[in-house]
Amino acid sequence: MQATIGVEDLTMRYGNHLAVDHISFDVFAGEIFGFLGPNGAGKTSTQRMLTGVLPPTDGTARVLDHDMARAPVPAKEHIGVVPEVANPYMEMSGWQNMLLAGELYGLPSRRLRERTELLLTEFQLWDRMHDPAKRYSKGMRQRLILAMALIHEPDVLFLDEPTAGLDVESRRLIHDKVTELPKRGVAVFYTTHNIEEANVLCNRVAIICRGRLVALDTPEALKATFGGSQSVVVAFNRHVEAQDLARLDRVTHVAQEGDKLRIYTPSPGAVVMQVVDFARRANMEITSLNTLGPSLEEVFVSLSSGQRPAQNGE
Amino acid sequence: MMRKCWAITKKNMKIYYLKGPVLIFGILFPTFLFLAFAIGRNVPPENLAPGLIGMALFFTASATTPAILPFETRTRTLERLLAAPLPLSVLVAADVLSAFMFGLFLSAVPLLLSFAFLGVAVVHPGAITGAVLLSALCFAVMGTLLSSPPTDNPSSIMTLSNLVRLPLIFVSGVFVPVSQMPQWGQWLSRFSPLTYTTELIRSAIGQEAQVGQWWCVLVLIGFTLAFWCVSLRLHSRNMSRRLCL
């Protein structure tokens, strides 16, 4: 299967600082590829090289079989971009911003108007389309920017932190629109530092840390590979000290989380039985009890801190 | 590509023509500078016209471009333009085109003023047309060159721009014809594109000029090409630093 985005040994150096360090991966049509990393990890530099905005110091980035360093313009015709910190033109209305975006992608006038009407309606901006963008809320501006990126029906969509700091309604709308795209064969490159967002939206996730790619797999496979921390979360009707539960068999450690206790263990089933016994002996009621698998956040944290993959039960 | 270029030009016209720094350094500043020179002095109107038109072209055409890229950097609209399917040269050309038109529109005022009220007669219409068009283009490209340092602060670029523009008006035959300047001034005047504008206008209205019409045209074309090439090179080199601001 031909990759829509092909990255090989991609490197970006700013003076002495190595921002992106020889990373390689492929992204295919119809998938949402999450690009996850802490701040300053090299996510935005990578996206800028992939969108032909910055030339790489070394390596190649190919989008739809076009080399983004040598001939970016033909590929850019088929790319939609939501940059990290982007604004529409504040003095121009939503409608005018959409027309500008469409003209930059060479859309014929009639098609441009049709797409503009459709997208402004879908992104719930129709009623305010003639207002200058400076009167829009942050969520409305971000929706407008995504609508502008979709004006030419791109085959590849790059989004850099598209929901950072947005209200729930705008975030949900953007998530809904993004998840629709792979059904039409669009490849989505989704840069984020929001682990839960990557977990929910993405088919595969690459984690970048200090410029190097430290993991690449499906969210579930990553959790399984790094899954040293299955846990049981329990709440009682009375206060219980964490150290009382830490004495149970096969418990690695216990953490207080609000009114609950989280018991880390490689054997959640065995621990549940002991917790029930513990509650019975102490004449307490269990008000809630859940077993949790490892989270993508833990994978991310362990990789960010430079830890090696832990084996299940370790 | 023309349509994409025109789309950016329209956007520039909507947004940047009315920006404070453009109005101050493109219109108010040269107007008051000229009035300070002309009022109270017994200078014949036909001697004022070349300087008036030349200075208007110089300041108006070079006022817009220095504002555009720093504003685009500051307002975080630049990256999407760079991600659009057009080469950097088209983006810069669109900025030049908007500055060129700003220069043309606003220079029409002193032009009409000179011909309608100062009684200046055009002897060579082709030369005056060439002077206006070529000079507006040359100064618009010069403005683009001045905007190449990577900053998101328009006032920094405006300061730099005035550091370059102000000395040039004193050695370009704007207030005093080149022929009446001291030797060192005449020598310096060769390196200013504005000299060739004022000289071309001077000869177009039938006054004695130090430099021939065709030579003026050739030198203005040369300056324009040189500014364009250097400007593209610098913008290309500085764009990554601009995005990191």
Side-chain angles (χ1 to χ4, degrees):
Chain A
M1 188 179 177
Q2 174 87 14
T4 303
I5 302 171
V7 174
E8 205 176 318
D9 276 335
L10 198 65
T11 306
M12 172 58 85
R13 191 182 282 280
Y14 299 108
N16 291 328
H17 173 61
L18 190 57
V20 179
D21 187 3
H22 298 87
I23 62 171
S24 302
F25 58 85
D26 290 325
V27 180
F28 299 95
E31 77 167 329
I32 302 180
F33 185 88
F35 200 57
L36 197 63
N39 291 332
K43 304 187 298 289
T44 297
S45 293
T46 303
Q47 172 157 321
R48 283 176 172 165
M49 288 188 281
L50 295 182
T51 51
V53 170
L54 289 182
T57 310
D58 203 2
T60 53
R62 299 184 73 81
V63 176
L64 298 163
D65 219 22
H66 296 284
D67 188 324
M68 294 309 286
R70 289 183 186 164
V73 175
K76 285 178 177 181
E77 298 276 1
H78 305 279
I79 288 175
V81 182
V82 175
E84 182 195 14
V85 187
N87 280 317
Y89 288 100
M90 298 296 180
E91 294 85 349
M92 289 163 50
S93 66
W95 177 264
Q96 288 172 326
N97 270 289
M98 291 293 288
L99 291 190
L100 171 65
E103 285 171 350
L104 290 178
Y105 286 91
L107 258 64
S109 300
R110 191 171 167 182
R111 180 85 188 118
L112 175 53
R113 283 176 184 276
E114 284 169 3
R115 289 287 299 159
T116 299
E117 285 175 18
L118 177 75
L119 287 166
L120 287 177
T121 308
E122 279 186 5
F123 282 90
Q124 298 170 12
L125 294 166
W126 182 256
D127 294 341
R128 303 278 306 276
M129 68 175 170
H130 293 305
D131 287 359
K134 63 184 166 196
R135 291 200 202 139
Y136 288 7
S137 66
K138 187 178 180 190
M140 289 170 75
R141 284 178 200 163
Q142 196 66 0
R143 280 184 265 148
L144 176 60
I145 285 167
L146 181 53
M148 289 164 75
L150 294 173
I151 189 83
H152 58 300
E153 297 180 273
D155 297 315
V156 189
L157 180 66
F158 290 90
L159 303 111
D160 194 349
E161 310 273 5
T163 58
L166 294 193
D167 57 286
V168 177
E169 190 188 356
S170 295
R171 195 163 63 236
R172 275 192 186 162
L173 184 60
I174 289 173
H175 283 174
D176 289 348
K177 294 297 165 196
V178 169
T179 47
E180 278 172 17
L181 295 170
K183 295 170 197 161
R184 304 206 304 261
V186 177
V188 179
F189 186 87
Y190 199 101
T191 299
T192 182
H193 66 248
N194 185 329
I195 297 131
E196 196 44 42
E197 194 171 44
N199 188 30
V200 171
L201 290 179
C202 301
N203 302 95
R204 286 190 304 148
V205 172
I207 298 177
I208 186 171
C209 202
R210 288 183 279 275
R212 307 194 72 170
L213 212 60
V214 289
L216 198 172
D217 215 323
T218 61
E220 291 308 316
L222 281 175
K223 288 181 207 168
T225 309
F226 292 80
S229 58
Q230 295 181 77
S231 55
V232 176
V233 178
V234 61
F236 300 98
N237 64 340
R238 288 206 318 259
H239 179 73
V240 172
E241 291 295 332
Q243 64 213 40
D244 294 338
L245 294 175
R247 292 190 200 105
L248 300 177
D249 195 25
R250 307 207 70 185
V251 169
T252 49
H253 74 280
V254 182
Q256 187 84 44
E257 290 181 353
D259 64 340
K260 299 176 190 65
L261 289 157
R262 182 159 178 161
I263 308 163
Y264 290 89
T265 172
S267 310
V271 168
V272 166
M273 308 280 275
Q274 294 179 72
V275 168
V276 172
D277 276 350
F278 174 83
R280 192 181 296 132
R281 280 200 310 273
N283 204 19
M284 289 187 297
E285 239 180 75
I286 294 173
T287 52
S288 80
L289 181 68
N290 288 300
T291 59
L292 296 177
S295 70
L296 194 58
E297 182 171 352
E298 287 170 305
V299 176
F300 180 75
V301 169
S302 73
L303 285 168
S304 301
S305 58
Q307 290 173 20
R308 66 183 178 81
Q311 293 306 307
N312 216 346
E314 204 174 293
Chain B
M1 232 16 116
M2 285 302 292
R3 192 171 166 232
K4 294 176 186 179
C5 183
W6 181 239
I8 299 172
T9 303
K10 278 191 297 181
K11 176 267 296 174
N12 289 345
M13 290 160 80
K14 273 179 203 152
I15 295 172
Y16 298 108
Y17 277 10
L18 294 178
K19 287 280 183 200
V22 175
L23 295 177
I24 291 167
F25 294 109
I27 301 172
L28 294 181
F29 191 74
T31 304
F32 286 110
L33 198 63
F34 184 82
L35 290 177
F37 170 76
I39 288 175
R41 297 184 66 199
N42 195 18
V43 184
E46 62 272 20
N47 285 1
L48 285 175
L52 173 64
I53 299 165
M55 196 164 68
L57 276 165
F58 187 56
F59 274 95
T60 53
S62 61
T64 318
T65 30
I68 296 175
L69 278 175
F71 269 118
E72 296 264 356
T73 310
R74 175 182 280 184
T75 56
R76 305 287 174 189
T77 47
L78 181 63
E79 188 168 344
R80 211 179 32 256
L81 278 183
L82 293 174
L86 40 94
L88 183 63
S89 55
V90 174
L91 181 59
V92 178
D95 291 354
V96 168
L97 185 57
S98 48
F100 171 76
M101 292 173 69
F102 188 72
L104 277 191
F105 291 143
L106 289 174
S107 302
V109 177
L111 263 175
L112 294 174
L113 201 71
S114 301
F115 302 135
F117 299 104
L118 297 181
V120 175
V122 178
V123 179
H124 301 288
I128 196 87
T129 310
V132 170
L133 293 175
L134 259 180
S135 303
L137 183 63
C138 180
F139 302 144
V141 180
M142 191 184 94
T144 310
L145 175 61
L146 293 172
S147 75
S148 59
T151 174
D152 62 350
N153 189 355
S155 63
S156 303
I157 293 294
M158 283 299 177
T159 305
L160 170 72
S161 162
N162 285 329
L163 271 176
V164 174
R165 294 191 301 177
L166 280 176
L168 284 185
I169 60 168
F170 292 103
V171 295
S172 304
V174 169
F175 300 122
V176 179
V178 174
S179 57
Q180 293 170 27
M181 285 163 58
Q183 278 296 315
W184 62 267
Q186 290 191 23
W187 183 81
L188 275 179
S189 70
R190 295 178 200 169
F191 302 101
S192 165
L194 182 56
T195 300
Y196 303 92
T197 302
T198 53
E199 287 297 289
L200 193 52
I201 296 170
R202 223 174 277 287
S203 67
I205 61 173
Q207 289 181 9
E208 188 189 344
Q210 285 281 92
V211 189
Q213 285 182 5
W214 285 110
W215 185 243
C216 287
V217 168
L218 281 177
V219 175
L220 280 172
I221 292 172
F223 267 115
T224 308
L225 290 175
F227 288 152
W228 173 257
C229 293
V230 179
S231 160
L232 265 191
R233 196 178 175 82
L234 290 177
H235 280 300
S236 176
R237 200 182 67 182
N238 291 341
M239 210 47 88
S240 56
R241 287 161 69 192
R242 195 180 284 283
L243 287 173
C244 294
L245 291 171

